[in-house]
Amino acid sequence: MQDQTAHSIKLQRYYKYHSTIYDATRWSFLFGRQQFLSSLPELMSQPRILEIGCGTGNNLQLLEYFYPDASITGVDLSEDMLEKASRKVGNSKELNLMQFRYGSEGPDWDPFDLVVLSYSLTMIGENIDTILQHVHEDLNPNGYIAVIDFHDTPFKWFRRWMWHNHVSMDGTILPMLKKYFTEEKVSLNKAYFGFWKYFTFLGKRS
Ligand SMILES: C[S@@+](CC[C@H](N)C(=O)[O-])C[C@H]1O[C@@H](n2cnc3c(N)ncnc32)[C@H](O)[C@@H]1O
């Protein structure tokens, strides 16, 4: 586990520049997001949805589209990423953006029907057990967790390069998700013919 304040400062610095090129570049390696979100289950009317690490807000836009009557909250620790998100989706009662580091800080909010983590768990740096326990507490008893993220790579040098970019690609997250949540649907997918794998996980609070 890393020193969280230091990690958070590093990420905020990293995204000061990367927020400016994020949307133009990430389509080429953050695969599967739109398809995954479009496959999520129907929710009760006026659901409460949380995206942790919402970045520049692409998924928030999609969630708004797929769940038009939802109340959606996007949190991110990077002010620069949130600024981009706010230009896309605004900041209203129905779509609320909040800046803080999920895991160690956070409001005492009402539970959510769906929590989405898209390419953020592998960057979060904290003890993943702690994060997943928080998600568990933040979900309604029948709530869903939907995660899409990097899984692993056969290339050590690439894992190191990703680590240098604050991403941990060690294949440990999927088994932990299965420990905390009841699995509904899982997929493991190859990117660039197996250069790395990414996974999707849909689970229920167990
Ligand atoms: C790779 S981006 C993914 C953004 C978006 N979910 C997407 O799919 O495009 C990871 C985001 O997670 C945020 N993040 C990392 N750790 C976080 C934490 N503990 N709390 C809130 N946001 C965090 C980063 O600032 C960054 O914007």
Side-chain angles (χ1 to χ4, degrees), residues 1 121-129 132 147 149-153 159 163 167-181 188 197-199 201:
M1 200 181 27
L121 264 182
T122 48
M123 282 199 106
I124 230 158
E126 312 226 10
N127 184 326
I128 300 292
D129 273 297
L132 296 183
V147 184
D149 218 320
F150 296 111
H151 186 58
D152 63 6
T153 172
R159 193 174 310 131
W163 179 250
V167 175
S168 121
M169 224 192 215
D170 57 9
T172 56
I173 287 178
L174 191 50
M176 287 173 105
L177 284 164
K178 291 180 181 179
K179 183 172 120 192
Y180 282 98
F181 301 95
L188 206 49
K197 285 197 201 119
Y198 65 95
F199 70 87
F201 177 89

Side-chain angles (χ1 to χ4, degrees), residues 7-51:
H7 180 65
S8 178
I9 292 168
K10 271 190 210 158
L11 280 186
Q12 288 181 56
R13 278 203 199 120
Y14 178 81
Y15 279 117
K16 200 161 253 322
Y17 167 66
H18 279 269
S19 62
T20 64
I21 57 164
Y22 191 89
D23 288 343
T25 53
R26 276 8 184 225
W27 62 269
S28 61
F29 53 99
L30 301 186
F31 294 126
R33 292 173 292 172
Q34 180 162 352
Q35 196 189 350
F36 180 50
L37 293 185
S38 73
S39 74
L40 296 182
E42 269 185 42
L43 299 173
M44 54 182 258
S45 77
Q46 301 187 317
R48 286 174 49 74
I49 301 178
L50 169 68
E51 184 181 6

Side-chain angles (χ1 to χ4, degrees), residues 131-140 180-181 205-206:
I131 296 290
L132 296 183
Q133 277 163 25
H134 277 286
V135 175
H136 202 273
E137 283 162 23
D138 282 339
L139 274 174
N140 264 326
Y180 282 98
F181 301 95
R205 195 181 130 156
S206 38

Side-chain angles (χ1 to χ4, degrees), residues 4 7-8 11-12 14-15 22-23 26 30 33 51-59 75-79 81-82 98-104 116-126 131 148-150 167:
Q4 284 316 305
H7 180 65
S8 178
L11 280 186
Q12 288 181 56
Y14 178 81
Y15 279 117
Y22 191 89
D23 288 343
R26 276 8 184 225
L30 301 186
R33 292 173 292 172
E51 184 181 6
I52 301 166
C54 63
T56 59
N58 292 326
N59 297 330
V75 307
D76 205 288
L77 56 73
S78 159
E79 193 184 347
M81 293 294 261
L82 281 177
M98 300 173 87
Q99 186 194 357
F100 67 86
R101 191 175 88 213
Y102 185 88
S104 35
V116 175
L117 291 122
S118 163
Y119 289 100
S120 53
L121 264 182
T122 48
M123 282 199 106
I124 230 158
E126 312 226 10
I131 296 290
I148 178 164
D149 218 320
F150 296 111
V167 175

